[in-house]
Amino acid sequence: MKIVILGTGPVCQVLAPAFLALGHQVVVGTRDPGATMEVNLGFRRLTARHPALELAGFRDAVAAADRAGLVVNAISGPACLDALAPLAGSLAGHVVVDVSSPYDWSGEDAVLDPVNTDSLGEAIQRALPGAFVVKTLNTLAAEVMPDPDVAGQDHTVFVSGDDSAAKARVGDLLQSLGWRDVLDLGGIRTARATEMMLRMWIDTSQALGTHLFGFKIVR
Amino acid sequence: MKIVILGTGPVCQVLAPAFLALGHQVVVGTRDPGATMEVNLGFRRLTARHPALELAGFRDAVAAADRAGLVVNAISGPACLDALAPLAGSLAGHVVVDVSSPYDWSGEDAVLDPVNTDSLGEAIQRALPGAFVVKTLNTLAAEVMPDPDVAGQDHTVFVSGDDSAAKARVGDLLQSLGWRDVLDLGGIRTARATEMMLRMWIDTSQALGTHLFGFKIVR
């Protein structure tokens, strides 16, 4: 299928090659394609290794999206609402996979905003009322998202969203990446739960000295 | 050793018999012992099955505590600061195991208070400046705390606290209860991480239809 990834940072740089390897067509959207190719060295290297990867402005990338495919929000948390809101019309009817975290690193440590009584997943769904937003993969380091094998052990990826068909499509993609334990938490409101795990993710990564871990719901 | 449990609710009712079974002396502290025996049916049944269990007012229970033992805060989250603060003098030099959650159920759903930039664990440490507060077991249903075996699988219990010796004493107790994966997250500030998992705990329990699960850090 056709997958549009919005954002060219570390998450895009691990997801795009994984989607290409599965045989999907991948279009990447960015604010300014010329600037991305000039200053984003990681992304430029990615395009050199994967000539099939297409790059376009946000608006053109979304216009090229397929309603039978997926649009992935991989824009950094604090910036993504401003980038996504103007695309609301074009994104109507599309499944939007939100993998972002609402962290604010402007202080000495990450603080979540929104938190507790709202989530970025819900805010994105409100900004894109015609889209089917599915929150997932946001409890993991970028490098673990498309490669769930951690020391040969199974762990859990969570999905939150209001539309069952959209969650099923995302679940199929996750399984094709190797995820065996896909846990449907419920509506997009449950994005609060996975976003609030960011604090645990940061503290665990500091305690362990690695980003290569996952959360398994043992039951 | 001597373990003082403050609070007579569901957490006390599972921890007290588990500590007694390990051969510890257990004293339970409550606001009003007469009222507890009159209205708390679960606790009254517990004392009938375990005559060795001692019940006292908060102040007397803490006065009976041993600095080589432990004091467990099992008072409900919203009420515990008011109950603990007047005991600060007596609790100086003691290891205080905080298993509480800062949930506010007064609305239609649980909301955490404090959250994100503070935690109940830190607030308790500030209220008890001479005590060694260790946050633990707060990511689990009461019935799983002293019985970590869930479907024969290993999962993780977290400890947060500023004093290494206090954490080691708590870690020994956890291991004696059967916990094999005790993860030291760092200082009491990391109580923010485990307390913010309450939202994930609630949503997971609703998705699974059971309280009998745990979080495993797979690494």
Side-chain angles (χ1 to χ4, degrees):
Chain A
M1 64 180 165
K2 192 176 205 173
I3 302 178
V4 173
I5 303 177
L6 303 178
T8 59
V11 172
C12 166
Q13 291 174 33
V14 296
L15 291 183
F19 295 156
L20 289 168
L22 289 168
H24 300 299
Q25 182 186 353
V26 179
V27 179
V28 176
T30 187
R31 195 175 310 272
D32 179 341
T36 293
M37 289 305 284
E38 195 178 319
V39 303
N40 186 332
L41 186 61
F43 188 80
R44 205 164 69 205
R45 284 182 178 152
L46 188 74
T47 58
R49 284 196 305 273
H50 301 279
L53 201 61
E54 300 170 52
L55 181 66
F58 283 139
R59 196 161 287 282
D60 291 340
V62 167
D66 182 348
R67 286 188 181 189
L70 296 169
V71 178
V72 177
N73 171 39
I75 305 168
S76 79
C80 73
L81 274 174
D82 283 349
L84 291 173
L87 306 171
S90 314
L91 285 170
H94 288 271
V95 176
V96 174
V97 185
D98 174 33
V99 305
S100 65
S101 281
Y103 56 84
D104 175 359
W105 281 100
S106 59
E108 66 174 50
D109 197 1
V111 170
L112 290 166
D113 179 24
V115 70
N116 203 21
T117 54
D118 195 11
S119 64
L120 189 53
E122 290 164 278
I124 291 172
Q125 181 63 81
R126 289 193 300 270
L128 307 175
F132 307 108
V133 178
V134 178
K135 187 106 202 181
T136 192
L137 289 171
N138 56 311
T139 54
L140 300 153
E143 54 265 52
V144 182
M145 293 181 182
D147 187 10
D149 181 32
V150 172
Q153 296 171 85
D154 190 24
H155 51 117
T156 307
V157 64
F158 306 93
V159 292
S160 305
D162 293 337
D163 187 84
S164 295
K167 284 191 284 194
R169 192 183 302 171
V170 174
D172 287 346
L173 179 70
L174 292 168
Q175 290 187 328
S176 72
L177 288 167
W179 287 99
R180 284 173 291 165
D181 187 21
V182 181
L183 182 58
D184 181 353
L185 283 178
I188 191 64
R189 192 176 188 283
T190 62
R192 296 178 194 182
T194 53
E195 292 181 7
M196 287 169 82
M197 287 180 78
L198 180 65
R199 186 71 256 163
M200 177 58 96
W201 187 89
I202 293 170
D203 290 345
T204 299
S205 70
Q206 288 177 350
L208 298 178
T210 179
H211 291 180
L212 299 178
F213 63 90
F215 300 101
K216 170 72 182 175
I217 303 293
V218 172
R219 72 274 198 190
Chain B
M1 64 180 164
K2 191 176 206 175
I3 302 179
V4 172
I5 303 177
L6 304 178
T8 58
V11 172
C12 166
Q13 290 173 35
V14 296
L15 291 183
F19 294 156
L20 288 169
L22 289 169
H24 300 300
Q25 182 186 355
V26 180
V27 179
V28 176
T30 188
R31 195 175 311 271
D32 179 341
T36 293
M37 289 305 285
E38 194 178 321
V39 303
N40 187 332
L41 186 62
F43 188 80
R44 205 164 68 203
R45 284 180 178 151
L46 189 74
T47 58
R49 284 195 304 275
H50 300 279
L53 203 60
E54 301 170 52
L55 181 66
F58 282 139
R59 196 160 287 283
D60 290 340
V62 167
D66 181 348
R67 287 189 179 185
L70 296 168
V71 177
V72 178
N73 171 38
I75 305 168
S76 78
C80 73
L81 275 175
D82 283 349
L84 292 173
L87 306 171
S90 313
L91 285 169
H94 288 271
V95 176
V96 173
V97 185
D98 174 34
V99 304
S100 65
S101 281
Y103 56 83
D104 175 358
W105 281 100
S106 58
E108 66 174 49
D109 198 0
V111 170
L112 290 167
D113 179 25
V115 69
N116 203 19
T117 54
D118 195 11
S119 63
L120 189 53
E122 290 165 277
I124 291 171
Q125 181 64 81
R126 291 194 300 269
L128 308 175
F132 308 107
V133 177
V134 179
K135 187 105 202 180
T136 193
L137 290 171
N138 57 311
T139 55
L140 300 153
E143 54 265 54
V144 182
M145 293 179 181
D147 187 10
D149 181 33
V150 172
Q153 295 170 85
D154 190 24
H155 51 118
T156 307
V157 65
F158 306 93
V159 292
S160 304
D162 292 338
D163 187 85
S164 295
K167 284 193 283 193
R169 192 183 302 173
V170 174
D172 287 346
L173 179 71
L174 292 168
Q175 291 188 326
S176 71
L177 288 167
W179 286 99
R180 283 173 293 165
D181 187 21
V182 180
L183 182 56
D184 182 353
L185 284 177
I188 191 65
R189 193 176 187 283
T190 63
R192 296 177 193 183
T194 53
E195 292 181 7
M196 287 171 81
M197 287 180 78
L198 180 64
R199 186 72 255 162
M200 177 58 95
W201 187 90
I202 292 171
D203 290 344
T204 299
S205 69
Q206 287 177 352
L208 297 178
T210 179
H211 292 180
L212 299 179
F213 64 90
F215 300 101
K216 170 72 182 175
I217 302 294
V218 172
R219 73 275 198 189

